Amino acid sequence: MHDCCDGFNFAVFSRHAERVELLIFEDPADQHPLWALDLDPAQHRTGDIWHALAEGVRWGQAYAYRVHGPLAPEAGHRFDADARLLDPYARAVAGRGGAGVPPGDGRCLLLRSRFDWQGTQRPRTLWSDTVIYESHVRGLTVHPSSASRHPGTFLGVIDRIPYLRELGVTAIELMPVQAFHRGDAGRHNYWGYDTLAFFAPEPAYAAHAAPGSVIDEFKTLVRELHRNGLEVILDVVFNHTAEGDERGPLFSFRGLDNAIYYLLGADRRRYENFSGCGNTLNCSHPVVRDFIIDCLRYWAAEMQVDGFRFDLASILGRDREGRLMADAPLLERIAEDPILRDVKLIAEAWDAGGAYQVGHFPGVRWAEWNGRFRDDVRRFWRGDAGMTGAFASRLCGSADLYQHSGKAPLNSVNFVTCHDGFTLNDLVTYARKHNEANGEGNRDGADENFSMNHGVEGPTTDAPIDAGRLRQIKNLVATLLLARGVPMLLGGDEFRRSQAGNNNPWCQDNALSWYDWRLVEENGEVLRFVRGLIALRQRHPCLRNDAFYRAEELDWFGPQGHAPDWDGPTRAFGCRVRECAEPGMLCLLFNASDRPADFHLPDAPWRLEADTGQAPPGDICAPDDLRPLPDRQRYALAAGSLAVLSHL
């Protein structure tokens, strides 16, 4: 739909429809349309596009489609002439608060959106300087402790911009903000991975009820992030829709042309389910590919977002038989599209159908969530045997995964935790998941988390146990920020946010998922440490270089100067790193064993920058406080800790 001088031009795709009606509503809340226009195929159909120029339509009104066609599931057709369908290209949808969009009774809003960007420009942060903060729009500020003026909304995120800047991150990655289905009365979809309108911002994230507020408020958020040098990356879900399987609700695509939009099985009544959510979008079909490209262009050009993280991105590379393609047309189109050339592209390089393409995702433009980094780093610090070599590879940018295909460390988005799984605090507090509150008998969520509880399952008042957990949190965060690649922090990890051991709180729109900002003061030591490590990363270009380490830049050694035991039981080693942009060196020391390690230091003298085994404030040193080590030749590193030394 778009407006022109004579009225509004409405257009919708359907190849197999027999009849299409355009419904116009005076008010979005009206149950009955003001009028209905029956689109005559002779006048209002060009190819597979049904269209009409409608006069007398005004901004602020709503519209929907009623599509007639065969109800023949055995042939892949599921038309329902009683349903009022959303336009896949709708810029806004009716429904706010707890109401949402009712299945089969959608309303698309006709909204004018003129916005003053006030001359702000995209930060265009280099990948090498990028530090990502993954967060949820509602969860970030809805807790009363946030003291936000607009809690749980796009405008509420603006209240946290000073905090994000002080933390040192350069981009916020928002979990889905496109309008999504919030589920039935039984379980509320909090995360948002059930998209029903891909062009429309989620109306529940608007602070004001006026129609169209949500678009202006989202743009205001982007503008203010850019004004403060922060990028915004959207988590987008093009692998499936909110319509689920053959028993699911009807919103749009199924009623417009089910056989085109979805991958169907050999039994055309059933859906292929590579997403684990009931259906799979037919991303190999040209119509669907065009739709996805148009959507990305809209968010990049009109909404000014800086990048996209693609949920279960391997699905975008499957053909119409569900097979993975070596050179998937959609992935290449996204990477080469002229409008999208400057945006960041991040793939979750796997899906629920068995694909795991970490290190092998097609195209050099795509960065990837590096699940191998997460698992290997967790296992090394947990004390698993034989992980030293794998840990060192992750520390150096995962050349074993990316170098063979001409990629660089910046193709690896490194993370230890993300929304899907334990928080960092829970990773060191629980040995097993505790998802009973989700109502699935604790069967949901990953079973293998490579976590440990340090002797007690859950919170404890035992000071030595909590000290061990705190040290492990610092080890994991420090490893993330010392490794080459692009680091991503899970929001709230910097002040020990907990989900009480729930590693899949997709349906927990409550204090279990919300950010309790009182923890900032309670766990200020961790927050100070994270800030300090981000600043340390910015001070040392060798940690951020966009190329893999060369052999002459690294020297590996064990505590006594011998070669490290890469595959054996010893879990203590050091690495001397030569700075790439200026004279100087770093010395990184790691000790994941249960006993202290006395390191012989090469090329003395050194000064301490960080040590997770020391009590604060000695664990992280401000630049003005750096002092030479008392012993120029040796450094004693406590069990289960790491240290960063810089050369004088």
Side-chain angles (χ1 to χ4, degrees):
M1 177 278 302
H2 69 274
D3 62 312
C4 63
C5 56
D6 298 318
F8 285 84
N9 184 56
F10 295 85
V12 68
F13 165 85
S14 183
R15 177 169 299 169
H16 297 103
E18 297 168 349
R19 178 183 165 207
V20 175
E21 295 177 83
L22 170 64
L23 311 179
I24 301 295
F25 298 84
E26 177 68 24
D27 184 273
D30 289 347
Q31 286 302 305
H32 302 288
L34 179 67
W35 52 269
L37 175 61
D38 202 337
L39 304 187
D40 180 358
Q43 300 182 51
H44 300 123
R45 182 173 186 176
T46 302
D48 294 332
I49 305 298
W50 299 74
H51 55 86
L53 177 64
E55 299 178 351
V57 180
R58 304 187 312 275
W59 293 113
Q61 292 182 312
Y63 72 100
Y65 290 104
R66 196 153 48 206
V67 181
H68 303 251
L71 179 57
E74 69 281 358
H77 301 312
R78 294 183 176 272
F79 292 98
D80 183 350
D82 293 328
R84 295 163 173 175
L85 304 177
L86 295 172
D87 179 359
Y89 282 79
R91 274 30 174 194
V93 296
R96 187 171 177 272
V101 175
D105 195 18
R107 305 283 194 282
C108 310
L109 302 181
L110 296 171
L111 301 174
R112 186 193 302 273
S113 182
R114 293 176 176 172
F115 188 75
D116 183 6
W117 290 97
Q118 299 178 357
T120 56
Q121 301 292 320
R122 299 175 187 269
R124 302 185 188 279
T125 307
L126 298 174
W127 271 117
S128 56
D129 294 331
T130 297
V131 179
I132 300 171
Y133 187 89
E134 189 198 23
S135 190
H136 186 280
V137 169
R138 177 168 167 80
L140 187 66
T141 63
V142 72
H143 194 282
S145 62
S146 75
S148 174
R149 295 166 293 176
H150 305 288
T153 67
F154 292 128
L155 296 185
V157 177
I158 295 174
D159 294 334
R160 285 293 151 188
I161 288 178
Y163 172 85
L164 295 174
R165 290 192 63 188
E166 186 177 1
L167 183 61
V169 298
T170 67
I172 184 168
E173 181 175 307
L174 296 175
M175 292 169 66
V177 303
Q178 296 162 316
F180 59 87
H181 181 40
R182 274 167 262 164
D184 53 31
R187 288 192 296 174
H188 181 87
N189 178 3
Y190 168 70
W191 278 359
Y193 290 92
D194 259 336
T195 314
L196 55 86
F198 288 83
F199 284 73
E202 168 54 42
Y205 293 161
H208 302 95
S213 293
V214 67
I215 296 177
D216 287 343
E217 290 178 20
F218 179 81
K219 289 181 176 179
T220 300
L221 168 59
V222 175
R223 183 186 67 196
E224 297 310 305
L225 286 167
H226 287 176
R227 193 192 306 278
N228 287 274
L230 295 168
E231 293 185 315
V232 57
I233 298 170
L234 298 187
D235 195 336
V236 290
V237 188
F238 291 114
N239 56 77
H240 75 284
T241 78
E243 293 182 312
D245 62 17
E246 60 274 7
R247 301 161 296 178
L250 176 64
F251 292 108
S252 177
F253 301 96
R254 178 174 294 152
L256 286 168
D257 211 321
N258 184 69
I260 296 291
Y261 280 110
Y262 292 113
L263 277 181
L264 303 179
D267 179 350
R268 304 288 282 173
R269 296 171 297 178
R270 306 286 185 253
Y271 294 85
E272 295 286 10
N273 187 18
F274 298 110
S275 67
C277 299
N279 65 56
T280 304
L281 269 177
N282 187 8
C283 297
S284 66
H285 195 286
V287 169
V288 181
R289 293 203 301 260
D290 286 347
F291 170 77
I292 293 173
I293 292 292
D294 290 344
C295 184
L296 294 172
R297 285 177 169 180
Y298 174 77
W299 286 96
E302 176 66 20
M303 305 296 246
Q304 293 289 298
V305 304
D306 304 283
F308 303 96
R309 177 264 185 189
F310 293 77
D311 182 66
L312 299 181
S314 290
I315 285 176
L316 277 64
R318 289 187 181 271
D319 65 18
R320 296 187 208 182
E321 304 300 321
R323 297 168 300 204
L324 290 171
M325 294 179 281
D327 298 303
L330 177 57
L331 298 178
E332 184 177 35
R333 280 194 64 187
I334 293 171
E336 296 299 330
D337 185 83
I339 305 300
L340 304 175
R341 285 297 296 168
D342 292 332
V343 302
K344 290 180 166 68
L345 303 176
I346 304 171
E348 184 181 36
W350 54 83
D351 64 25
Y356 191 79
Q357 295 179 289
V358 173
H360 299 276
F361 200 78
V364 296
R365 264 208 71 202
W366 289 87
E368 304 171 14
W369 268 24
N370 190 344
R372 290 280 302 276
F373 183 97
R374 173 198 60 204
D375 296 345
D376 291 347
V377 169
R378 288 183 179 189
R379 294 186 64 192
F380 173 79
W381 283 114
R382 189 174 69 168
D384 291 12
M387 294 304 301
T388 304
F391 176 85
S393 294
R394 304 302 148 243
L395 188 70
C396 293
S398 297
D400 58 325
L401 300 179
Y402 296 105
Q403 196 168 27
H404 67 91
S405 56
K407 298 183 180 182
L410 302 182
N411 289 102
S412 174
V413 174
N414 300 330
F415 67 102
V416 175
T417 53
C418 65
H419 72 273
D420 191 1
F422 280 146
T423 66
L424 188 56
N425 180 79
D426 291 357
L427 185 68
V428 302
T429 306
Y430 297 92
R432 60 187 185 278
K433 64 183 182 181
H434 295 269
N435 298 357
E436 291 81 4
N438 297 350
E440 297 183 33
N442 205 33
R443 294 184 300 273
D444 62 312
D447 292 319
E448 181 52 83
N449 298 281
F450 305 118
S451 62
M452 64 182 301
N453 62 19
H454 290 78
V456 173
E457 187 75 356
T460 182
T461 57
D462 188 304
I465 289 178
D466 194 61
R469 291 173 175 175
L470 177 60
R471 185 170 62 249
Q472 193 76 315
I473 286 173
K474 291 179 179 180
N475 289 335
L476 292 164
V477 168
T479 301
L480 175 67
L481 292 166
L482 293 172
R484 279 200 178 171
V486 181
M488 184 185 76
L489 292 162
L490 173 62
D493 276 353
E494 73 277 13
F495 51 78
R496 297 187 70 173
R497 184 176 73 88
S498 173
Q499 294 169 173
N502 193 320
N503 73 353
N504 187 39
W506 68 274
C507 55
Q508 300 297 330
D509 187 8
N510 50 48
L512 192 72
S513 295
W514 302 342
Y515 292 40
D516 185 344
W517 290 96
R518 295 171 297 184
L519 295 173
V520 167
E521 182 174 352
E522 182 178 329
N523 296 311
E525 179 183 339
V526 178
L527 177 59
R528 177 184 56 81
F529 184 80
V530 174
R531 286 174 182 160
L533 258 295
I534 293 175
L536 186 152
R537 179 182 178 86
Q538 295 301 323
R539 287 198 304 272
H540 295 286
C542 65
L543 302 176
R544 297 179 282 112
N545 195 285
D546 58 1
F548 291 110
Y549 284 108
R550 301 189 306 273
E552 60 269 22
E553 293 178 312
L554 296 177
D555 294 301
W556 304 95
F557 55 91
Q560 301 306 314
H562 50 69
D565 182 12
W566 294 122
D567 300 312
T570 303
R571 299 187 298 277
F573 72 97
C575 178
R576 180 176 54 184
V577 185
R578 291 174 176 81
E579 293 278 16
C580 53
E582 59 187 44
M585 287 183 288
L586 285 180
C587 188
L588 310 179
L589 306 178
F590 302 91
N591 182 16
S593 69
D594 56 2
R595 62 185 63 184
D598 188 18
F599 280 91
H600 176 78
L601 299 177
D603 295 315
W606 299 91
R607 57 187 179 182
L608 178 67
E609 297 224 10
D611 185 338
T612 62
Q614 293 191 12
D619 57 352
I620 183 74
C621 302
D624 294 339
D625 295 332
L626 300 181
R627 299 288 186 270
L629 296 177
D631 188 336
R632 297 164 60 92
Q633 302 296 326
R634 309 196 72 82
Y635 190 83
L637 186 61
S641 59
L642 66 80
V644 181
L645 314 177
S646 58
H647 197 264
L648 288 173

